[in-house]
Amino acid sequence: MPDRSATPLAPVLLGNEPGSFPHSVLAERHPAIIRQVRDSFPYGPEQRRALDALLASCTKGVIEPLPADAHDGQRWASWGADACTGRSWFDVPWLWSESYFYRQLLEAVGYFIPGPWQGIDPFRPSKLAELDSPETDEELAALDALADRPTDEQDRALLHGSLWGNRADLGFRMSAVQDEASSDTPPLVADDSETLWSLLPPSGSGSATLCLIADNAGRELVPDLLLIARLLTQARIGRAVLHVKPYPYYVSDATHTDVLDALRRLTAAPGAAATYGRALWSAMTDGRLTVRAHPFSSAPLPYAAMPGDLREELTAATLTIVKGDLNYRRLVGDRLWPPTTPFTDVTAHFPGPVAALRTLKSDVITGLDARTEAALVAAEGQKWRTGGTHALIQVRS
């Protein structure tokens, strides 16, 4: 395994630099999210006052502690709350600040305490609207045409569907590999897909275990489920474990409820989508597909700090697929690495083979070759890091 110590640590991302992407998230996105949540439900005076207080805290105040009787107070203390409370949201690690914001948002709306708002996902209306959109219908309909394509093309399309998430239709269009490779600034800035496929046994063996650490719900979760369904039906894996968040998080991150919503959406669809949906339903009932919501999934920490029980579980997996931008930040460490920093070095801590499927929506990036980085900077400045127009498939075996 590569020597992690050979790679000098890069600076941890903070949100205290005006004009930076992390600063814009804290100063603009978080207040907008509070206002959106405030308008999504007819919350009572208590919840509205709490949301207003959180808004004031985010924009002009400091990080407040959780209530003394918070069910997870000790857990957050172990995750660094004592060192961060009383400080500006902009002066603590960005990953920590973002994660704690969503925990405090749920506190404000009464998600965790007995009462009428307990367990009500404040982001559910937007999740369901996306899942029920005409765009989802179009993406599911594309599965019917895909069924007539060669096996390797179907595999590639479903992998790219999972990669691009709510731009999954790009995966089904089967853009030529040659076209992507011919550009100095390709949509796919790193592609270890052949290594990914090599880590899964040939079709029919059915002995592998896949862990997939999900990112977003809705139109991004559906392609993840389709990829799992294909691997199960091909018997390239015998078991899949889908890791989701234990509570609503980062606006659109998937919870167990979101998995069930997506599964119902598939089974109610016509054509091939329903076939995939029934395969997933069957896999859940017989245990070949399980859903896991480990508390660490919502921790404000990198995966290098994962607890022993989760480490043991991922060690036993044939392959772990880590989905999305936030999980990538947690995988490599939320640091401003030089883009050519080897991906294998910064993931050496991970307990087993790992693949990252990610569209670029934040500054963190590793594993690029120098030519690709130079071409991206020449063409786009630094916008390529955050615009969501580029993606990567990176694997450490």
Side-chain angles (χ1 to χ4, degrees), residues 1-10 337-338 340-342 344-348:
M1 187 172 288
D3 181 7
R4 175 66 175 79
S5 63
T7 302
L9 287 176
W337 300 107
T340 54
T341 303
T344 52
D345 287 5
V346 294
T347 57

Side-chain angles (χ1 to χ4, degrees), residues 284-345:
M284 287 190 74
T285 60
D286 64 24
R288 287 176 295 130
L289 171 59
T290 56
V291 180
R292 182 98 154 88
H294 194 285
F296 190 76
S297 295
S298 296
L301 303 172
Y303 285 124
M306 74 175 69
D309 62 331
L310 182 58
R311 178 170 292 274
E312 183 178 351
E313 182 176 334
L314 298 179
T315 299
T318 308
L319 174 66
T320 298
I321 293 179
V322 173
K323 279 295 310 296
D325 196 80
L326 172 62
N327 284 324
Y328 186 88
R329 291 164 54 194
R330 298 186 70 195
L331 176 63
V332 305
D334 202 33
R335 297 173 178 271
L336 198 58
W337 300 107
T340 54
T341 303
F343 177 76
T344 52
D345 287 5

Side-chain angles (χ1 to χ4, degrees), residues 107-229:
E107 188 69 34
V109 299
Y111 182 87
F112 293 110
I113 60 176
W117 298 107
Q118 186 175 27
I120 301 296
D121 183 347
F123 312 121
R124 187 165 168 78
S126 57
K127 290 177 178 178
L128 290 178
E130 180 184 286
L131 193 60
D132 293 335
S133 68
E135 290 82 2
T136 304
D137 290 329
E138 295 171 7
E139 289 161 8
L140 295 181
L143 291 168
D144 295 328
L146 190 63
D148 297 328
R149 307 300 289 265
T151 296
D152 61 336
E153 289 190 12
Q154 294 186 47
D155 290 344
R156 181 172 181 271
L158 291 174
L159 179 64
H160 278 235
S162 180
L163 168 66
W164 286 103
N166 62 11
R167 296 177 60 197
D169 58 311
L170 296 180
F172 297 137
R173 290 174 186 169
M174 302 305 299
S175 56
V177 175
Q178 292 83 358
D179 291 343
E180 292 182 358
S182 64
S183 170
D184 288 336
T185 57
L188 204 56
V189 299
D191 185 4
D192 296 339
S193 54
E194 291 305 314
T195 304
L196 187 155
W197 292 119
S198 74
L199 292 171
L200 298 175
S203 179
S205 60
S207 60
T209 295
L210 173 72
C211 286
L212 192 151
I213 301 178
D215 185 32
N216 291 330
R219 288 172 58 209
E220 297 194 34
L221 180 60
V222 167
D224 297 340
L225 291 172
L226 293 173
L227 178 62
I228 289 172

